[in-house]
Amino acid sequence: MEPGGGPLIVNNKVRGSLGPAPGIGGLLPGKGRELNRTQRKDSEGFSESPDLEFEYADTDKWAAELSELYSYTEGPEFLLNRKCFEEDFRVHVPDKKWTELSITEQRTHAMRLLDGLEVTAREKRLKIARAILYVAQGTFGDCSSEADVQSWMRYNIFLLLEVGTFSALVELLNMEIENSAACSNAVRKPAISLADSTDLRVLLNIMYLIVDTVRQECDDDPIEWQAARQTFRAELGTGTPLFNNEPFSVMLFGMVTKFCSGHAPHFPMKKVLLLLWKTVLCTLGGFEELLGMKAEKRALLGLPPLPEDSIKVIRSMRAASPPASASDLIEQQQKRGRREHKALIKQDNLDAFNERDPYKTDDPHDEEEENDDDSTLEAEPFPLERDEVMPPPVSHPPCDRLTFPKGLPWAPKVREKDIEMFLENSRSKFIGYTLGNDTNTVVGLPRPIHESIRTLKLHKYTSIAEVQTHLEDEYVRSPLSGGEEDVDQVPSEVLYQGLLSSLPQYMIALLKILLAAAPTSKAKTDSINILADVLPEEMPTTVLQSMKLGVDVNRHKEIIVKAISAVLLLLLKHFKLNHVYQFEYTAQHLVFANCIPLILKFFNQNIMSYITAKNSISVLDYPYCVVHELPELTAESLEAGDNNQFCWRNLFSCINLLRILNKLTKWKHSRTMMLVVFKSAPILKRALKVKQAMMQLYVLKLLKVQTKYLGRQWRKSNMKTMSAIYQKVRHRLNDDWAYGNDLDARPWDFQAEECALRANIERFNTRRYDRAQSNPDFMPVDNCLQSVLGQRVELPEDFQMNYDLWLEREVFSKPISWEELLQ
């Protein structure tokens, strides 16, 4: 099944009967009445939401990330793990708790457990693995609070890492991946359940807990832990003989492709993807580390520092009011009609009200209606897009209130190419000749043009990608004088080399799973089953069990989307920093695998209900469920969900997918035209209803690149969106994004653009990584006659057999003209 296949416009029904009731819910406590009064309904029947108090980061809070590893169906296994540990522990330490042992005794027992993993009997090995998992889960039986569990988790995991647990687990994981009997059983089974992946789930749980815990730095970490973290990151990222000298991520990518090919349908894909995401995050680094690496690389290449810290700028932005919909328009016209009617009635009694505003009444609803409009409405030709893009303020405690900078948030940028084009156009207009790539000669040009050039050069920005492209062109132009390229073996370079041979398959596999997990996808017989590690052996028999499983399945899909979107974004960003052609290779295979229509299909739903979905049962989340008495679950408590204003993981996934779409289409005319062809503008415009500044920024960027192709009528009826783009998106000084012109709107040869890019990528990959394909013309030549004649030349067998015949035909039977030879 092709990812992203099928019609783009899909039915907006997102959830079946088991999903949560749609609606906003979870508004700020105590503010319900004020918010309800100022909220309006949009065209899909959902209230306009307040600003979302969401802070984008590499991951959610640690407790949330821990709870998402386990599905609710796995709940009973916590006690099973504890039982396996205590049975073994009581044999060796009958009278003490784990928390009461000395460090030496704990280390001794951990090594004893590790030795137990080497037994051949599968049941015994699984019991020991469960005991190790209980230790990694923080030996919660001896703890009284969630904080206690988390504290012991960190301690136990560094202890397990010290005795070499991770290496042993990798060996066992390799064994399970290659276990052909389990694979063939799973392929033959009509329905796969949680029981088919027990061994793999236990191993992946321990590995995930180790990677995610070691990855996180705390101020009070001992020096030994800090050293262990550095060693562990290096082993995961650059590979050891245990990982076939490849990064650990490559093994996990292999599991993903094996699952998608149908050879191993029992693989617990959610856990594999979560472990893959945290491994990539641990080895390559998160977004803040990426910004530091970018600054270092710019300094190394002699480029000026970045004009601003993008993370801080985005955090300081505030959300815009979403564009008005058709129902808003009708409501506005009705309000205006009522106000005009009241104004006429009151005009006669104006003198009696000379101390009051003539339009105000004592009715609070009328007051609210009055405040809802703004004084510029009558003057503007497009009442649909009337007010400025600032939202109604959400009151914060004084300590949390941010100060928003005045003016535009981003420093404008200009590319060298833009300056060249501007100069070429000016020269041909005023003088009638051009000078190619010369950006310094301004002879004969009017003074205002001189000023323009000075301003453009003041804001010139040279990206790392431009420098890398230029260096690559130099290598290709002069392969001999360029010498051998010194490639720094950083983790992203090592990972790219490991993925290179099968990168297209890896990208297709990730997009297939993303398609299966998207809420807009309909269940099809030929789509892959991603629910193998959430469905119980016995299907639910009561309504309550069905509701619980429904929540679990929806949550499971949301977590898969979150992991895939984060992995793809991290890969694209790190590859782009390491070398632009590594990024282009990855991006091109995503485009070829229909990533653009797939993401648009994902957003073609009621995005507000997706972001406010309540697919979680907080009392069943780990570690809460192992240290508290569980209350009795009822249908009402399941339906109510938590009281959060939004779902962190879903908003995180949406922002990641928008960022990926931006990365794929930036500066690529053919891909921008794909956005236009797939009618993405109304889909993206609906996403602006989510009042979160970062999400809106990436939506507006995507609308900005296609604005000039959407026609005058679209721009005319979307002035508020245009205004938001102007306020929030970075300006390119001579980019006329808002006004289409014939030159840019002309038909384009899409294939030619992609083919030229593909040729450059293949040339880069061949030159840098394919030693066997090196050009024979550039190989060193032996000029010494003696050594050349002394070389032994292996002649083929058929030549040796027919040597006499060859001599007769080629030498003896041919007359030699000695005169000609001498001349």
Side-chain angles (χ1 to χ4, degrees), residues 42-259:
D42 68 24
S43 56
E44 291 178 80
F46 286 87
S47 302
E48 191 183 300
S49 67
D51 281 18
L52 302 182
E53 300 288 320
F54 170 85
E55 189 168 306
Y56 186 81
D58 293 326
T59 61
D60 200 352
K61 293 185 180 71
W62 192 37
E65 295 292 340
L66 289 179
S67 69
E68 287 179 358
L69 175 63
Y70 312 102
S71 60
Y72 297 139
T73 320
E74 287 178 273
E77 294 188 13
F78 289 121
L79 292 177
L80 181 58
N81 298 341
R82 180 179 174 179
K83 186 184 167 196
C84 290
F85 172 82
E86 287 180 348
E87 279 177 6
D88 179 69
F89 188 65
R90 289 287 157 254
V91 173
H92 303 287
V93 189
D95 54 347
K96 280 187 180 178
K97 293 180 177 180
W98 170 265
T99 50
E100 295 168 353
L101 299 182
S102 68
I103 294 175
T104 313
E105 289 171 319
Q106 286 170 337
R107 188 181 289 113
T108 306
H109 190 71
M111 293 176 84
R112 196 182 292 124
L113 286 174
L114 207 57
D115 291 340
L117 285 178
E118 294 180 11
V119 297
T120 49
R122 180 175 284 274
E123 286 76 19
K124 281 186 182 176
R125 199 166 62 230
L126 179 61
K127 275 192 170 183
I128 296 295
R130 283 195 181 281
I132 292 174
L133 176 56
Y134 175 72
V135 173
Q137 284 170 341
T139 50
F140 50 79
D142 303 339
C143 301
S144 56
S145 68
E146 292 174 59
D148 217 9
V149 173
Q150 291 180 9
S151 171
W152 274 103
M153 259 187 79
R154 276 187 80 76
Y155 173 79
N156 291 349
I157 278 169
F158 276 100
L159 179 71
L160 290 172
L161 188 66
E162 184 191 334
V163 298
T165 310
F166 199 83
S167 310
L169 294 171
V170 172
E171 283 186 40
L172 287 175
L173 182 64
N174 246 328
M175 226 164 71
E176 289 298 329
I177 293 169
E178 301 301 326
N179 184 350
S180 54
C183 291
S184 55
N185 284 344
V187 170
R188 283 199 299 270
K189 264 194 170 185
I192 296 166
S193 71
L194 210 59
D196 297 299
S197 59
T198 307
D199 294 42
L200 273 168
R201 280 188 297 108
V202 171
L203 295 177
L204 291 166
N205 281 344
I206 306 169
M207 295 169 101
Y208 176 88
L209 292 174
I210 292 175
V211 171
D212 197 38
T213 307
V214 173
R215 180 186 68 78
Q216 298 191 45
E217 297 178 25
C218 289
D219 297 333
D220 56 350
D221 282 350
I223 296 169
E224 299 81 35
W225 287 14
Q226 294 172 21
R229 180 181 295 113
Q230 293 306 323
T231 310
F232 182 63
R233 284 182 74 166
E235 284 178 358
L236 275 187
T238 53
T240 63
L242 185 66
F243 308 152
N244 302 323
N245 290 319
E246 287 179 331
F248 179 55
S249 310
V250 177
M251 183 193 290
L252 297 173
F253 267 114
M255 288 183 79
V256 175
T257 47
K258 191 169 183 180
F259 171 80

Side-chain angles (χ1 to χ4, degrees), residues 573-590:
K573 286 192 78 69
H574 279 281
F575 286 162
K576 188 169 188 180
L577 181 62
N578 194 49
H579 199 291
V580 65
Y581 281 136
Q582 295 177 350
F583 158 78
E584 294 291 8
Y585 186 54
T586 313
Q588 194 165 58
H589 281 294
L590 285 172

Side-chain angles (χ1 to χ4, degrees), residues 40-48 325 327-328 606 608 689:
R40 295 168 298 175
K41 295 278 182 175
D42 68 24
S43 56
E44 291 178 80
F46 286 87
S47 302
E48 191 183 300
S325 57
S327 59
D328 292 338
N606 189 322
M608 203 62 227
K689 287 189 172 69

Side-chain angles (χ1 to χ4, degrees), residues 479-480 766-767 770-783:
L480 292 176
T766 304
R767 181 191 67 76
D770 195 354
R771 298 293 175 208
Q773 294 295 319
S774 52
N775 194 329
D777 294 342
F778 299 142
M779 297 295 281
V781 177
D782 188 354
N783 294 322

Side-chain angles (χ1 to χ4, degrees), residues 10 51 55 65 185 510 533 676 682 715:
V10 295
D51 281 18
E55 189 168 306
E65 295 292 340
N185 284 344
L510 286 177
D533 53 332
V676 180
R715 295 198 290 272

Side-chain angles (χ1 to χ4, degrees), residues 341-360:
H341 179 62
K342 283 175 198 162
L344 287 169
I345 291 170
K346 290 178 183 174
Q347 197 64 40
D348 299 332
N349 305 320
L350 188 60
D351 294 336
F353 291 90
N354 60 355
E355 302 240 338
R356 294 181 56 188
D357 187 322
Y359 291 101
K360 284 198 177 174

Side-chain angles (χ1 to χ4, degrees), residues 239-285:
T240 63
L242 185 66
F243 308 152
N244 302 323
N245 290 319
E246 287 179 331
F248 179 55
S249 310
V250 177
M251 183 193 290
L252 297 173
F253 267 114
M255 288 183 79
V256 175
T257 47
K258 191 169 183 180
F259 171 80
C260 284
S261 65
H263 297 314
H266 65 300
F267 280 1
M269 214 15 66
K270 182 189 86 174
K271 293 184 194 294
V272 173
L273 290 166
L274 282 172
L275 179 55
L276 175 59
W277 167 35
K278 292 300 168 70
T279 305
V280 170
L281 191 57
C282 179
T283 53
L284 304 189

